[in-house]
Amino acid sequence: MSLLRTDRSWRADVRARVPVRYLPQTTPDHLRGTWREARPARIDRSVADALARPTGGWLVAGASTEVPRERSLVRTVAGREVVLWRDRDGRLLAGPGACPHLGARLDGCDVVDGTVLCRWHGMPLGRDTDPPWNTLAAHDDGVLVWVRVGPVEAGVEPTPQPVLGRRPQGSSIASVVSLVAACEPRDIVANRLDPWHGAWLHPYAFSDLRVDDEASSDDRLVLDVAYRLGRTFAVPVRAEFTCPDSHTVLMTIVDGEGTGSVVETHATPLTAPGAHPARTVMTEAVVATSDRAGFRVARRLSRAVQVGMRASQRQLWADDLEYAARRYELRRRGEGV
């Protein structure tokens, strides 16, 4: 009889080694509705909890790679022009975006020995110039650049550094995209704190999504979801959504392929607080990691991989920014939150 037994332990071994699962995409007529679970009051509580978390004055201004050593970069943050550049040692510096001489926009200026040279007349502006021009605090976390433009929340003192979420330790691949939307930062935060829309608004990317109510709370959403690899196969993971500050939503994969990988969504207002119509920059940083051998190959081909990552991010946010803009439009008309 022992000769007739079949050792099926190899199946478990294969499942452990291969994260891809046979999960045919569900058609809309058989897709489980999530509208009962996506209760407006529940989402509002999560948004309110997020908005109560201080930023200490720090907002994301772009990707680290966007600020080279030899050129300046100007970004609008909360209604203010901010110039970013690097010192001799590569450290990030920031100051007002207009030259004090005749008001030139200090974008794309030559940077020589850590000093910005105005494009109009060559006025030097830097840490040691007269006047000194690094009057705003800046921080480069290796993936994103931040600037402190002053307290965003009433009664909150500026902090020495931004509130940073936990990222993968060790080797990783980072991809950053920035897109502008006609909304306020809270609308982008609200979009991310509604994971129930994933399988409906993004059926090409997500399926089999279920929020774990027992593990979740107003300040933490835990869910199981499958990332689509076409119509037939997908990769199931368990993810957690949290908010380090009022302008950031952090999604962390806590189980499954890529455990430890994060998706950071940052909402930076272009317009001054309270100004309407509002415009906001959504900056998303995906920091992916894996302990699989194939990931080491992907690391060597990171530039090509990043192209695909950014294309996928933009596709998803084309839908999500419409979601955020719609919330803002309804609120402005007095018909929404």
Side-chain angles (χ1 to χ4, degrees):
M1 292 294 293
S2 61
L3 294 176
L4 298 178
R5 293 176 184 168
T6 302
D7 182 3
R8 295 177 179 172
S9 61
W10 62 272
R11 293 186 179 180
D13 184 59
V14 169
R15 290 180 68 87
R17 292 175 179 272
V18 181
V20 178
R21 299 288 180 267
Y22 175 72
L23 287 173
Q25 190 169 18
T26 305
T27 57
D29 55 321
H30 291 91
L31 187 60
R32 184 180 63 87
T34 58
W35 65 275
R36 295 183 186 276
E37 300 162 43
R39 298 188 299 273
R42 179 177 186 174
I43 296 170
D44 289 347
R45 289 197 305 272
S46 293
V47 173
D49 182 88
L51 296 182
R53 298 176 180 273
T55 65
W58 291 93
L59 294 169
V60 167
S64 299
T65 55
E66 293 180 296
V67 188
R69 286 179 180 250
E70 69 282 356
R71 291 280 175 180
S72 62
L73 175 73
V74 169
R75 286 290 162 84
T76 301
V77 179
R80 299 179 60 178
E81 283 186 340
V82 175
V83 60
L84 301 164
W85 75 100
R86 296 194 183 276
D87 208 343
R88 295 183 187 91
D89 58 2
R91 191 181 67 163
L92 185 71
L93 299 176
C99 179
H101 178 220
L102 286 173
R105 181 178 168 90
L106 296 172
D107 189 44
C109 298
D110 289 320
V111 177
V112 179
D113 291 331
T115 298
V116 177
L117 302 179
C118 177
R119 294 173 59 244
W120 280 13
H121 302 94
M123 182 175 185
L125 299 165
R127 186 171 57 186
D128 303 319
T129 57
D130 185 17
W133 209 242
N134 63 318
T135 55
L136 297 175
H139 180 78
D140 186 343
D141 65 23
V143 176
L144 300 171
V145 292
W146 304 68
V147 63
R148 193 178 67 198
V149 295
V152 174
E153 307 83 7
V156 175
E157 292 295 322
T159 55
Q161 289 189 348
V163 181
L164 301 176
R166 185 172 182 178
R167 289 179 179 159
Q169 301 298 312
S171 62
S172 61
I173 300 175
S175 170
V176 179
V177 298
S178 294
L179 300 168
V180 179
C183 67
E184 294 180 295
R186 63 185 290 184
D187 300 302
I188 290 173
V189 171
N191 168 269
R192 296 297 283 160
L193 295 179
D194 168 19
W196 296 276
H197 75 264
W200 283 92
L201 195 56
H202 314 295
Y204 51 85
F206 307 111
S207 68
D208 300 88
L209 187 152
R210 291 183 182 275
V211 173
D212 187 337
D213 289 322
E214 292 187 3
S216 300
S217 60
D218 290 345
D219 63 351
R220 180 172 177 262
L221 284 168
V222 181
L223 59 99
D224 297 298
V225 64
Y227 287 90
R228 303 284 337 154
L229 299 176
R231 295 181 176 274
T232 307
F233 298 97
V235 178
V237 300
R238 188 170 178 85
E240 174 184 278
F241 288 74
T242 56
C243 294
D245 65 46
S246 60
H247 289 59
T248 301
V249 180
L250 179 67
M251 188 205 79
T252 305
I253 296 179
V254 295
D255 191 29
E257 175 60 20
T259 296
S261 299
V262 300
V263 179
E264 299 177 5
T265 302
H266 302 272
T268 301
L270 285 173
T271 45
H276 296 283
R279 296 178 74 234
T280 298
V281 176
M282 183 292 306
T283 299
E284 181 179 84
V286 176
V287 187
T289 189
S290 175
D291 57 2
R292 296 185 184 276
F295 188 75
R296 292 193 289 272
V297 176
R299 282 270 296 163
R300 290 195 290 271
L301 302 173
S302 60
R303 289 191 178 183
V305 172
Q306 287 165 334
V307 170
M309 291 172 68
R310 287 192 292 268
S312 177
Q313 289 170 264
R314 290 192 181 96
Q315 183 182 20
L316 288 168
W317 276 105
D319 296 329
D320 281 338
L321 290 184
E322 180 181 351
Y323 176 120
R326 177 63 176 173
R327 280 181 53 96
Y328 175 67
E329 178 188 356
L330 291 177
R331 188 166 62 254
R332 291 275 287 161
R333 284 163 32 185
E335 301 176 18
V337 293

